[in-house]
Amino acid sequence: MLISIITINYNNKQGLERTLKSVQTQTFNDYELIVIDGNSTDGSKHIIEQYKTDLNYYVSEPDTGIYNAMNKGIKQAKGNYLFFLNSGDNLVNDSALAKVAKYLSGEGFVYFNINRIKNNKKWVIEVPSEMSFFYLHNDTIPHQSIFIKKELFNTVGAYDEHLKLVSDWKFIITALIKYNASYKHVNEVFSNFYEGGVSSSKGSFEAMEKERQLVLKQDFPLLLNDLKYKFKLERTLRTLRKSRKINWLIKLGLINKF
């Protein structure tokens, strides 16, 4: 079971070293390590040179964005499963890959929980065991916590490079909803995500929401209509729960609490 670890980097020298070191020290050896650097000018190339004997493939050249870089990594990957551990993020300990490899049993997606770290504070982001369109409408599985079967990229296609922020989300929702990809959740933590990247600012959240809505309208219009109806019913229910008349009827036992 070969695992392809793909690391995307641009001008993040310290983060790149942290990521590569966490892979280099793994007790599990059946992996390949691919680094795609966007022609960094901050000394990242020196880090790549230091670790080049541990790399199966690396390149430092201009790209058109993060998903163009990730697609370059996909083209080079030979593993059964692909794992995007971008510069700055790292594996929790030296046995992380050895533990997670035991769960890679053929599903399209194998994902787990993740540590989120900001200003030296750490908390666990738990991902639901059961996927739903409702969850995927509002959230996604962090790419630092998901192993993707290589064959899925042949079925679904590469990441959409027209999108700047949500192409990995589009890939996941398309694979699950349109192609009925299989998946499995592992209720453990194997990697750390350090907040502060391109998707962490308020402006980025707003841009992400615009891109998501565009994808939903183009690819999932019927499901989106159902979800809008669900939201309408929920708003109505919240309004009724706040009604004084309804609460009096509940107290009098004339209707059940809802």
Side-chain angles (χ1 to χ4, degrees):
M1 175 67 70
L2 180 65
I3 298 172
S4 296
I5 302 172
I6 301 172
T7 296
I8 307 304
N9 177 72
Y10 181 65
N11 285 342
N12 187 13
K13 176 184 175 181
Q14 291 182 339
L16 178 62
E17 185 168 24
R18 177 168 61 200
T19 301
L20 297 184
K21 185 175 181 180
S22 81
V23 177
Q24 181 194 50
T25 57
Q26 291 299 303
T27 58
F28 180 86
N29 295 315
D30 198 7
Y31 69 85
E32 61 174 3
L33 181 54
I34 297 168
V35 173
I36 309 295
D37 178 69
N39 199 29
S40 295
T41 58
D42 69 335
S44 292
K45 293 178 183 179
H46 178 66
I47 299 300
I48 294 172
E49 186 68 22
Q50 282 184 315
Y51 283 85
K52 69 178 183 180
T53 56
D54 299 300
L55 306 181
N56 297 84
Y57 177 86
Y58 63 92
V59 67
S60 183
E61 63 185 17
D63 56 55
T64 59
I66 186 171
Y67 296 116
N68 177 238
M70 292 170 83
N71 283 338
K72 288 181 182 180
I74 293 168
K75 288 180 182 178
Q76 297 298 327
K78 299 179 178 64
N80 306 93
Y81 278 90
L82 276 55
F83 179 49
F84 292 92
L85 188 69
N86 290 347
S87 64
D89 303 324
N90 62 352
L91 297 163
V92 293
N93 54 44
D94 296 348
S95 61
L97 276 184
K99 291 179 180 177
V100 78
K102 298 176 182 178
Y103 296 104
L104 304 181
S105 52
E107 293 83 2
F109 296 112
V110 179
Y111 61 95
F112 46 91
N113 303 328
I114 189 169
N115 285 328
R116 188 163 188 160
I117 301 172
K118 182 179 182 181
N119 298 329
N120 296 320
K121 294 182 179 180
K122 181 171 67 175
W123 65 99
V124 176
I125 301 297
E126 295 186 359
V127 186
S129 296
E130 294 294 330
M131 284 290 110
S132 68
F133 183 71
F134 178 74
Y135 170 77
L136 291 169
H137 173 272
N138 300 306
D139 212 333
T140 191
I141 306 171
H143 67 76
Q144 305 94 337
S145 71
I146 186 169
F147 286 74
I148 305 172
K149 198 170 185 180
K150 176 69 183 293
E151 295 174 3
L152 266 186
F153 288 100
N154 297 328
T155 302
V156 181
Y159 289 123
D160 184 349
E161 295 181 19
H162 294 97
L163 299 171
K164 296 182 181 298
L165 297 169
V166 302
S167 192
D168 48 338
W169 166 83
K170 179 184 177 181
F171 179 87
I172 293 170
I173 194 172
T174 300
L176 291 174
I177 302 297
K178 286 192 172 183
Y179 293 92
N180 198 31
S182 57
Y183 64 90
K184 176 170 64 180
H185 174 241
V186 179
N187 192 28
E188 295 186 46
V189 174
F190 297 106
S191 66
N192 297 315
F193 162 62
Y194 293 82
E195 191 171 320
V198 67
S199 62
S200 297
S201 68
K202 181 180 179 181
S204 292
F205 284 129
E206 294 173 353
M208 286 171 65
E209 183 59 26
K210 287 182 180 179
E211 285 195 352
R212 285 192 191 205
Q213 290 304 314
L214 178 64
V215 172
L216 290 169
K217 289 177 182 178
Q218 289 179 342
D219 293 5
F220 305 97
L222 295 180
L223 287 174
L224 190 59
N225 287 338
D226 286 344
L227 202 58
K228 287 179 179 178
Y229 181 64
K230 180 181 185 298
F231 289 150
K232 182 179 179 180
L233 292 177
E234 288 179 346
R235 286 195 298 269
T236 301
L237 186 60
R238 286 196 297 269
T239 300
L240 289 173
R241 284 173 174 165
K242 294 177 182 178
S243 168
R244 294 177 64 183
K245 291 182 179 179
I246 293 295
N247 283 309
W248 271 111
L249 291 173
I250 292 173
K251 288 180 179 180
L252 293 171
L254 297 176
I255 61 174
N256 294 324
K257 187 175 182 180
F258 56 91

